[in-house]
Amino acid sequence: MIKVSGLPVNITKSDLDELFFAYGTIQITKNSVIIKIKQSESIAELELDKNELLAIQELHKTKWRDQYILYLASIRGSGILEHQDEGGGNQNQAGGDRVKKGQPGGGGNPNQASGNPK
């Protein structure tokens, strides 16, 4: 599967078909063609029948329709980027936030919580 961000808010399946025509047909499965609309862009998760890696190599960080910069990444069927762990993307950041909330004044460096070795 491929995650594509930087798409216009009003993206359609026909637009995606046009964009990926040279790389294969978009597969229709229960997890295919998921479009998430954010504030100013859409993010699509889709599966091609062939050439997904080539599509990523050739379309990542390219301009589409003279105004949209596309960002493509390979994802597994569960919607997890291939370079992420099953537990989520940035676990260190979440852990740091929990430590900060528990400290007086809401500040401090969570990496210094154990003190200096003697």
Side-chain angles (χ1 to χ4, degrees), residues 5 7 9 31 38 53 59 83 94:
S5 58
L7 296 166
V9 174
N31 293 323
K38 302 290 183 182
L53 293 178
L59 295 176
H83 63 275

Side-chain angles (χ1 to χ4, degrees), residues 37-67:
I37 300 173
K38 302 290 183 182
Q39 291 178 351
S40 60
E41 71 172 358
S42 292
I43 298 172
E45 296 176 5
L46 54 93
E47 185 175 351
L48 296 174
D49 64 349
K50 56 185 174 182
N51 294 327
E52 284 187 350
L53 293 178
L54 183 61
I56 293 168
Q57 291 171 354
E58 292 185 357
L59 295 176
H60 182 61
K61 294 186 179 180
T62 61
K63 191 176 271 193
W64 182 57
R65 293 189 175 170
D66 295 325
Q67 61 183 355

Side-chain angles (χ1 to χ4, degrees), residues 1 5 13 16 19 21 99 104 112 116:
M1 290 190 76
S5 58
K13 167 88 169 47
L16 293 172
L19 177 62
F21 174 78
V99 172
Q112 295 177 350
N116 293 331

Side-chain angles (χ1 to χ4, degrees), residues 3-4 8 14-15 24 30-31 46-47 49-50 56 62 67 74 80 84 86 91 98 100 109:
K3 177 180 178 180
V4 186
S14 295
D15 293 330
K30 72 175 193 170
N31 293 323
L46 54 93
E47 185 175 351
D49 64 349
K50 56 185 174 182
I56 293 168
T62 61
Q67 61 183 355
S74 181
I80 297 172
Q84 288 182 344
E86 291 286 343
Q91 294 172 346
R98 283 193 296 272
K100 288 179 186 176
N109 185 343

